[in-house]
Amino acid sequence: MSTTTMSVTSSATMTVFMNKTKADDDNVSEQVRLEDQHETVIYAMGGKALYAPVDLATPGLRILDSACANGRWIKDLIAASPAKHEYVGTDVVESLYPDPPPEGTQFLDQSIKESFPEAWKGTFDLVHQRLVMAAAGPERTPSFVVQNLADMLKEGGWLQMVEVATAPLPQNPASQNQYIDMLDTLYANLYAGTEYKKLNLWSTLPQEMEAAGLKNVQKQEVIVSYGAAVANPYIRERSLRTAVAGVPNFLSVLKKMPRNIWKSEWNDLESRLYKDLKETGGYTRYIVTWGQK
């Protein structure tokens, strides 16, 4: 698969999303959304932040969380680790970083669109990235991002990635499947006119990892529940908030795309989705993929 840089002819990138969250309230609401999202996803995973078979009891591991946002995944891994490790979190929104950082952790500015520092290559035992692949498009291909992450691994190190499978689920209310379709349309059209304009784009992550030279590649699908479908009242409320909070920001990107892809059902999607999830609940399939160098 191609790892070349794509030519950019549209203003429709996920930078529109990030600029909106910054302009709205300096990322205060985005912090809440990210916390809610993390707790919702980890609850669905049974509290399991790590699927790759990394022995966290071995002290001194070097661990990278790419596009770490507010560092919540790192915090959870620190809490779950019986030994001390060195953690590096990277992102492009410095205001999201925890201050002060957890012990043994540093947060650095680094875009997934850019190559990591040469000195980092082959130095990490574990590299993690979650729910951010769309931010690379259209300038960088999925292949570039996966190869960039894989290059950071030591021999024997593991890469774990988590993304949304943008395929409808039969048990969902109409609004939830329309939300999934909205994401699918967005992701595909970030790469309009290329081989990456395809349905359920992130389902190809296992093949991308193999193309990047990783072995022992495995995938597990996780069904994440939202709203009334969640038994735990604490997570139920947070899942409802995070499911709806991103809608206007994703739509702000789609509005920058050609008008012929816009669907009228998106006009009132936010309100209908909130009502349906609160009353009946809904589901999204996530893909966890991991591979070894």
Side-chain angles (χ1 to χ4, degrees):
M1 298 183 180
S2 172
T3 60
T4 58
T5 302
M6 313 295 281
S7 61
V8 182
T9 59
S10 170
S11 61
T13 73
M14 292 302 289
T15 301
V16 175
F17 182 115
M18 292 185 288
N19 288 345
K20 187 176 186 303
T21 61
K22 173 70 174 177
D24 285 349
D25 56 11
D26 198 22
N27 289 311
V28 173
S29 297
E30 182 67 356
Q31 283 273 22
V32 174
R33 185 187 75 85
L34 290 168
E35 283 289 320
D36 290 344
Q37 178 189 75
H38 176 86
E39 295 198 9
T40 300
V41 173
I42 292 297
Y43 177 80
M45 293 177 170
K48 187 177 179 180
L50 184 61
Y51 283 70
V54 176
D55 183 7
L56 296 176
T58 302
L61 298 179
R62 187 164 156 84
I63 298 170
L64 169 65
D65 188 18
S66 170
C68 66
N70 63 358
R72 181 60 193 277
W73 182 86
I74 289 177
K75 291 179 183 178
D76 278 15
L77 206 64
I78 291 173
S81 297
K84 290 188 177 181
H85 307 295
E86 178 187 355
Y87 298 88
V88 178
T90 60
D91 207 288
V92 295
V93 187
E94 187 176 349
S95 63
L96 294 176
Y97 301 157
D99 184 18
E103 181 182 358
T105 305
Q106 59 177 327
F107 292 92
L108 303 168
D109 295 346
Q110 170 70 45
S111 170
I112 66 169
K113 296 180 183 180
E114 305 298 333
S115 297
F116 285 99
E118 190 70 23
W120 289 12
K121 288 188 175 181
T123 67
F124 287 93
D125 300 281
L126 170 63
V127 175
H128 171 265
Q129 184 176 282
R130 183 178 68 185
L131 302 177
V132 76
M133 283 293 284
E139 298 97 329
R140 294 293 196 179
T141 66
S143 292
F144 171 87
V145 177
V146 175
Q147 186 69 64
N148 200 25
L149 296 171
D151 286 346
M152 298 303 101
L153 294 171
K154 298 176 180 177
E155 288 296 324
W158 289 88
L159 169 62
Q160 176 177 301
M161 303 182 72
V162 182
E163 291 292 340
V164 172
T166 47
L169 296 173
Q171 65 268 45
N172 274 337
S175 61
Q176 176 66 6
N177 279 337
Q178 289 165 358
Y179 172 75
I180 293 170
D181 174 67
M182 177 198 72
L183 293 178
D184 196 48
T185 303
L186 170 62
Y187 298 158
N189 281 278
L190 285 171
Y191 293 104
T194 77
E195 63 181 301
Y196 290 99
K197 185 181 180 182
K198 60 181 71 174
L199 300 177
N200 200 8
L201 177 57
W202 313 131
S203 65
T204 63
L205 279 178
Q207 294 94 318
E208 296 286 4
M209 284 194 182
E210 290 172 347
L214 299 186
K215 59 186 179 182
N216 300 322
V217 175
Q218 297 184 58
K219 179 184 80 171
Q220 183 165 327
E221 295 183 346
V222 177
I223 300 297
V224 177
S225 304
Y226 295 91
V230 180
N232 183 300
Y234 175 86
I235 301 299
R236 183 187 310 139
E237 179 63 26
R238 280 148 185 78
S239 72
L240 181 59
R241 284 199 311 234
T242 193
V244 177
V247 172
N249 300 327
F250 287 122
L251 290 178
S252 70
V253 183
L254 282 159
K255 287 175 181 177
K256 296 285 187 179
M257 292 181 172
R259 289 297 301 172
N260 63 350
I261 70 169
W262 186 266
K263 298 181 181 181
S264 60
E265 64 199 34
W266 297 340
N267 291 329
D268 61 348
L269 179 59
E270 183 178 0
S271 60
R272 289 187 298 107
L273 182 63
Y274 181 85
K275 180 177 184 294
D276 288 345
L277 293 183
K278 186 172 184 178
E279 293 178 356
T280 64
Y283 308 88
T284 301
R285 182 183 291 112
Y286 280 55
I287 306 168
V288 185
T289 310
W290 61 97
Q292 185 181 32
K293 188 164 184 180

